[in-house]
Amino acid sequence: MESSSSGYQNLNESDRRISNVFTAKKQAQDFEMSNVSVVPDETFTVAQAVDAFGFGRFQVKLSLFTGLCWMADSMETTILSILSPTLQYEWQITLFQQALATTVVFMGMMLSLPFWGFFSDKFGRKTALTLCSVLLFYFGILSSMSPNYSWLLILRGLVGFAIGCSPQSVTLYAEFLPCKQRAKCVVLLDCFWALGACFEVLLALIVMPTLGWKWLLVLSTAPLLGFACVCPWLPESAKYLVTNGQTDKAIDTLKKVARDNGKPMLLGRLVVDDVVLEEKRGRFTDLLLPQLRVSSILLWFIWLVCAFCYYGIVLMSTGLFESSYNNRTCSSNFDGRIFKTVQSCTAESHYLTTRDYIDLLWTTLAEFPGIFATIFVIDRFGRKITLVSQFTLFAFTLFLLFQYAKNRVLLTITLFLARGIIAGVFQAIYVYTPEVYPTPLRSIGVGTCSAMARLGAMITPYIAQVLLKSSFNTSIIIYITAALLAAVASSLLPIETKGRDMKEEYVERD
């Protein structure tokens, strides 16, 4: 019995030692697990990794890099409203030629969208943005050397073609953003757009009176040069790398994100969760399936009107400020309208004055409060209510122009409000549209809407720059009517995406 008891004690002692060994191993494993993020099934996706790393220093640097590209896009667009009256004065071009110089840029953008989409999917976002910055810088410089109107049209059209790649910077940026911060960060990125517009007006205020429009075109390429210089440090999209079989490079990129943000790298194997096979990719006809048809048609119209009104206000502002000068010089022809005939005022065409640039700067600054107000409203009241209310308010501010266009101070305040509101509409529709479509259709859905926006931008110069000079009332009524129709279209949208996860399932074809 004593021997048996001793053996039993030895067995218990052995069990305790084994138990202690397992306990020590478990404690060591628990310590390791607490310092390294682990996915239970030993696999993780790019989206899971980005969410785990959170928003940190990496995203801040990427915001600055992509912000330079967005600034350059904004400056090349803003310069259209400054360049037009100057060319009309120096080259004696007609109002239709003036509008065509604006339209050709947006035409280049629209025609280039399929090319840049294919190029970035084939060769990567970083490669596309690098080529875009070089081409945009090159054609921007050449534009300043245009010997005549025809060459200017060709070169500005090529500038528009290069600008068509700039939305890829937002794509790259969004693919490195955690899910919870994505909508707000993409909207805040548009602060760089507003900053670029303000910088362009300030640059014109300094350069135009002394060096002229050619030097303005040259100096406006500065952000492009800066972006081209930082392109070697620009990360390639980890999603692009992993979906193209470059898993090692994708892991290296994710390790850099983790290191910059001070977070541990995930353990496990990187896998792809959202690869869409070529035969299952969304097609244009899928946007018109019964469950999406109404949303798609309404969104195309809303995007068209949004761009039509936004660029209309941008182009209209210089015309209205210039008209206040002409009202003083052509007062004998004034009969209660802003313009009586085209000839009465275009005969006195002139350079924009310092006061014109300052007032234009004030209206441009309106984009900042418009962006922040939209961020505040869109998550509290929903996307549809935001769109309906903003379009309605925009129409109301345009209606005020009938009373306040004759007073320079009140005109500036009214344009300030109108531009801030319509800039907010653009941000709201940018947030809403990707949330409506499922993953396989999201790219083509947003791309089609963007093409409709370019179409609206191509049309608006003939209202804001041509018709405005002959019939102020008709021009404003057109914009008011378009905004109210867009408000109705927004109210008819069948889906409210507030608090709704982005759909991942594929929409089956009939």
Side-chain angles (χ1 to χ4, degrees):
M1 290 291 293
E2 192 173 298
S3 174
S4 175
S5 175
S6 175
Y8 181 76
Q9 289 176 353
N10 290 338
L11 180 61
N12 287 345
E13 185 66 28
S14 175
D15 288 343
R16 281 195 295 271
R17 284 198 299 269
I18 293 173
S19 177
N20 289 338
V21 169
F22 278 112
T23 300
K25 286 184 177 180
K26 185 177 186 305
Q27 289 175 344
Q29 186 179 20
D30 289 343
F31 177 79
E32 183 180 2
M33 294 272 286
S34 66
N35 287 274
V36 182
S37 300
V38 182
V39 178
D41 62 358
E42 296 184 350
T43 65
F44 65 93
T45 65
V46 172
Q48 289 175 326
V50 171
D51 284 338
F53 302 149
F55 188 94
R57 192 158 63 99
F58 179 89
Q59 282 79 12
V60 172
K61 291 192 297 184
L62 188 60
S63 299
L64 296 175
F65 291 164
T66 55
L68 280 174
C69 183
W70 217 227
M71 276 186 66
D73 187 352
S74 175
M75 291 176 68
E76 291 296 337
T77 304
T78 303
I79 204 172
L80 299 174
S81 62
I82 298 170
L83 190 61
S84 295
T86 303
L87 292 179
Q88 185 185 3
Y89 177 73
E90 290 193 2
W91 287 356
Q92 299 299 306
I93 61 176
T94 66
L95 290 175
F96 279 98
Q97 288 176 317
Q98 182 182 351
L100 184 59
T102 302
T103 297
V104 72
V105 177
F106 293 112
M107 186 182 296
M109 293 182 194
M110 186 174 72
L111 294 177
S112 70
L113 285 174
F115 169 80
W116 288 117
F118 169 80
F119 190 92
S120 63
D121 285 342
K122 182 74 173 176
F123 301 102
R125 280 65 158 138
K126 177 179 178 178
T127 304
L129 289 170
T130 302
L131 179 61
C132 159
S133 63
V134 172
L135 290 177
L136 198 48
F137 178 77
Y138 177 68
F139 291 128
I141 295 292
L142 285 184
S143 295
S144 67
M145 304 176 187
S146 302
N148 52 50
Y149 175 78
S150 298
W151 270 107
L152 182 69
L153 280 184
I154 295 172
L155 293 171
R156 296 309 291 176
L158 291 173
V159 166
F161 185 90
I163 292 176
C165 183
S166 59
Q168 296 300 326
S169 65
V170 181
T171 302
L172 175 65
Y173 182 58
E175 288 175 343
F176 281 108
L177 289 174
C179 181
K180 291 182 179 179
Q181 286 85 19
R182 187 176 300 136
K184 289 183 178 179
C185 289
V186 170
V187 172
L188 284 173
L189 186 64
D190 280 341
C191 288
F192 285 97
W193 176 281
L195 187 63
C198 292
F199 182 73
E200 184 64 40
V201 176
L202 283 173
L203 189 64
L205 176 62
I206 298 170
V207 174
M208 288 292 285
T210 54
L211 300 176
W213 65 270
K214 292 189 175 183
W215 272 102
L216 179 64
L217 289 178
V218 172
L219 296 175
S220 295
T221 61
L224 289 168
L225 183 60
F227 181 73
C229 291
V230 302
C231 274
W233 289 274
L234 198 68
E236 181 55 89
S237 167
K239 280 194 173 185
Y240 165 79
L241 292 173
V242 75
T243 55
N244 282 272
Q246 303 179 53
T247 307
D248 291 341
K249 291 183 179 180
I251 291 175
D252 290 341
T253 300
L254 292 175
K255 285 181 179 179
K256 177 175 174 55
V257 179
R259 185 169 59 252
D260 285 353
N261 289 0
K263 296 294 180 68
M265 179 61 186
L266 298 181
L267 293 180
R269 181 169 54 89
L270 180 61
V271 296
V272 185
D273 65 338
D274 55 357
V275 173
V276 181
L277 297 177
E278 195 65 35
E279 63 270 16
K280 291 188 177 181
R281 288 185 184 274
R283 299 181 302 191
F284 173 78
T285 53
D286 293 332
L287 301 177
L288 297 175
L289 289 173
Q291 55 268 53
L292 289 174
R293 183 181 301 136
V294 174
S295 293
S296 295
I297 293 174
L298 290 174
L299 282 173
W300 295 340
F301 178 73
I302 293 169
W303 275 77
L304 187 149
V305 173
C306 189
F308 177 77
C309 291
Y310 175 81
Y311 291 109
I313 281 292
V314 172
L315 298 172
M316 187 192 304
S317 296
T318 52
L320 290 176
F321 290 143
E322 186 185 16
S323 75
S324 65
Y325 174 90
N326 287 325
N327 282 337
R328 293 191 296 271
T329 59
C330 306
S331 57
S332 60
N333 291 330
F334 184 73
D335 65 349
R337 293 177 296 171
I338 298 300
F339 301 99
K340 183 175 181 179
T341 63
V342 176
Q343 292 79 10
S344 64
C345 291
T346 55
E348 305 257 359
S349 60
H350 64 98
Y351 293 113
L352 293 175
T353 65
T354 299
R355 186 181 180 186
D356 293 334
Y357 286 121
I358 292 174
D359 288 342
L360 187 60
L361 177 61
W362 276 113
T363 61
T364 305
L365 287 170
E367 297 205 13
F368 289 103
I371 292 170
F372 293 123
T374 301
I375 293 173
F376 177 80
V377 171
I378 196 168
D379 284 330
R380 285 166 176 78
F381 301 102
R383 280 61 163 150
K384 288 175 58 176
I385 293 178
T386 300
L387 289 169
V388 172
S389 58
Q390 286 183 324
F391 270 123
T392 305
L393 286 173
F394 176 74
F396 176 74
T397 55
L398 289 185
F399 181 79
L400 296 178
L401 287 175
F402 290 121
Q403 293 295 323
Y404 298 150
K406 302 172 190 177
N407 185 304
R408 184 62 176 252
V409 175
L410 294 177
L411 171 64
T412 303
I413 293 173
T414 304
L415 291 175
F416 178 92
L417 293 173
R419 182 155 179 176
I421 293 169
I422 197 63
V425 175
F426 238 135
Q427 312 321 313
I429 200 65
Y430 258 115
V431 172
Y432 176 83
T433 304
E435 296 174 337
V436 170
Y437 293 107
T439 297
L441 297 179
R442 191 166 295 135
S443 178
I444 191 171
V446 175
T448 306
C449 289
S450 181
M452 294 301 293
R454 305 301 182 188
L455 180 60
M458 289 168 57
I459 297 171
T460 202
Y462 297 97
I463 308 299
Q465 293 180 311
V466 179
L467 184 60
L468 183 74
K469 295 294 181 74
S470 59
S471 179
F472 169 80
N473 289 348
T474 304
S475 300
I476 299 302
I477 288 173
I478 289 174
Y479 284 109
I480 290 175
T481 303
L484 291 176
L485 289 175
V488 174
S490 300
S491 69
L492 296 176
L493 288 168
I495 302 172
E496 171 55 70
T497 59
K498 177 189 174 185
R500 178 176 178 263
D501 292 335
M502 285 188 173
K503 294 175 64 178
E504 299 298 332
E505 66 268 20
Y506 183 68
V507 179
E508 294 294 338
R509 297 186 178 95
D510 292 333

